[in-house]
Amino acid sequence: MAAVLEARDLEIRYRTDRGEARAVDGISFTIETGEYLGVVGESGCGKSTIAKAILGILPQNGYVAGGALRFQGRNLVGLPPAELRRLRWHDIALVPQSAMNSFDPVYTIGQQIDEAIVAHGAVPAETRRRRISELFAMVGLEAQRLGDYPHQFSGGMRQRAMIAMAMVLDPILVVADEPTTGLDVIVQDQILQRIREIHERLRKTMLLITHDMAVVAENCDKIAVMYAGKIMEYGGADVFHEPFHPYTMGLCNAFPDLDDRDRELISIAGTPPSLLVPFAGCRFHDRCPFATPLCAEATPPLLDVGPGHVAACHYVDRVAQFRSSAKDPVTWRRPAGP
């Protein structure tokens, strides 16, 4: 049986005045029925570009340069616009970053959710109203607020309404792209709780894109760590508990741990490389405290390091040494690179 979503050697580029940016450069992953994959990484690593490619909403200067992106065995790359429109919302739905910018300010929330149903088939008005009311209740909103406009909702309420809109046609795959951006931590937790309930109660297949490692660790079955258009590490919860790639170790060092409040947070010096320049070697080599000349010359493949766990590092056999050294702030203050 085909996976719900499968990316194979996927390459996505953006045309710019200074050349082509390799936003996603040969990544592969699968999401099986009922699974919840979290993609985490710094801003600009290609996370949201993946979401846009899945929905077929890349900007005009963006295009899929190679590889395949299959939904239930069907390649989404190159599908005619009419075919993509039939898939959107009905089979694949999106919870976007900013609900305020996603809703049309001159129509009520209820009208906009209703429009999504009408666009995909003839459904009696009473059935549509009942379905929308049920979904509002599921995300913790009162049905009488369906007649309100987006500006009458708080940020958290708009995001809940967007989740309801995403679920209105009972999609097979739900893509949540930074669904808590711009919300305070209390509202963030409420939104993520609603998304988690949808996954657990309805067993929806989900893709969560975020820079928040705690959100991914708490909610997702699988984790993909991206850096500069590449997957650096991929696996289950052990990706954060027992990281094999120095970049993953660096991310873990930079994130607070409530069980160890006295631990010093350690930042990764430097910035990600330009996506406009052809790459040689590991993407992370110029920021990695463990890099050698080999790291700058040869791109490491994703190597098996455990059941369902892979990492793109030449030196996975030195992981015990790397983990120990990575906990020392001095390690990350040394000049990086080979």
Side-chain angles (χ1 to χ4, degrees), residues 36 82 128 209:
Y36 197 167
R128 300 198 307 268
I209 293 168

Side-chain angles (χ1 to χ4, degrees), residues 59-316:
Q60 289 187 346
N61 68 325
Y63 70 101
V64 177
L69 189 57
R70 297 187 180 91
F71 174 73
Q72 294 187 323
R74 184 183 187 187
N75 197 352
L76 300 175
V77 179
L79 275 185
E83 288 294 313
L84 283 170
R85 281 195 295 272
R86 278 193 282 271
L87 286 173
R88 288 190 207 113
W89 241 252
H90 187 274
D91 294 312
I92 307 173
L94 174 69
V95 180
Q97 291 189 23
S98 175
M100 184 64 203
N101 298 331
S102 301
F103 281 115
D104 191 319
V106 301
Y107 292 95
T108 67
I109 296 290
Q111 287 173 328
Q112 295 180 64
I113 299 177
D114 186 65
E115 183 181 19
I117 303 176
V118 173
H120 285 271
V123 179
E126 182 56 38
T127 302
R128 300 198 307 268
R129 281 193 294 270
R130 186 165 58 250
R131 172 65 175 165
I132 296 170
S133 296
E134 289 171 355
L135 287 169
F136 251 46
M138 184 178 69
V139 298
L141 294 174
E142 298 176 349
Q144 55 261 42
R145 299 301 300 272
L146 285 167
D148 289 349
Y149 290 87
H151 71 273
Q152 294 175 287
F153 277 33
S154 67
M157 292 171 68
R158 283 193 295 269
Q159 199 63 41
R160 291 186 191 194
M162 185 54 69
I163 294 171
M165 188 172 183
M167 298 301 300
V168 74
L169 291 173
D170 196 22
I172 297 167
L173 173 66
V174 178
V175 179
D177 183 12
E178 301 278 11
T180 58
T181 296
L183 303 177
D184 66 66
V185 292
I186 301 299
V187 177
Q188 283 184 28
D189 184 67
Q190 294 171 351
I191 296 301
L192 291 168
Q193 178 64 31
R194 297 297 176 184
I195 293 175
R196 185 162 55 246
E197 287 175 2
I198 289 170
H199 173 64
E200 293 174 352
R201 286 171 50 191
L202 306 179
R203 296 310 301 166
K204 288 295 175 186
T205 304
M206 304 190 75
L207 172 62
L208 174 64
I209 293 168
T210 182
H211 60 270
D212 193 326
M213 292 170 56
V215 168
V216 169
E218 185 178 352
N219 293 279
C220 298
D221 307 312
K222 288 182 179 179
I223 299 167
V225 179
M226 284 192 70
Y227 182 78
K230 281 281 194 182
I231 290 179
M232 298 285 103
E233 193 160 356
Y234 182 86
D238 53 340
V239 164
F240 292 151
H241 299 314
E242 297 181 344
F244 274 78
H245 198 285
Y247 179 59
T248 311
M249 297 176 198
L251 289 181
C252 292
N253 284 339
F255 205 82
D257 184 352
L258 293 179
D259 295 326
D260 188 5
R261 299 187 182 189
D262 295 328
R263 178 175 66 84
E264 179 181 351
L265 299 183
I266 308 171
S267 62
I268 304 173
T271 57
S274 169
L275 300 177
L276 296 168
V277 179
F279 291 103
C282 174
R283 299 289 200 273
F284 189 57
H285 79 265
D286 60 350
R287 300 175 73 190
C288 180
F290 310 115
T292 70
L294 175 63
C295 301
E297 297 165 2
T299 302
L302 284 166
L303 301 173
D304 291 322
V305 295
H309 188 173
V310 293
C313 180
H314 290 300
Y315 301 109
V316 293

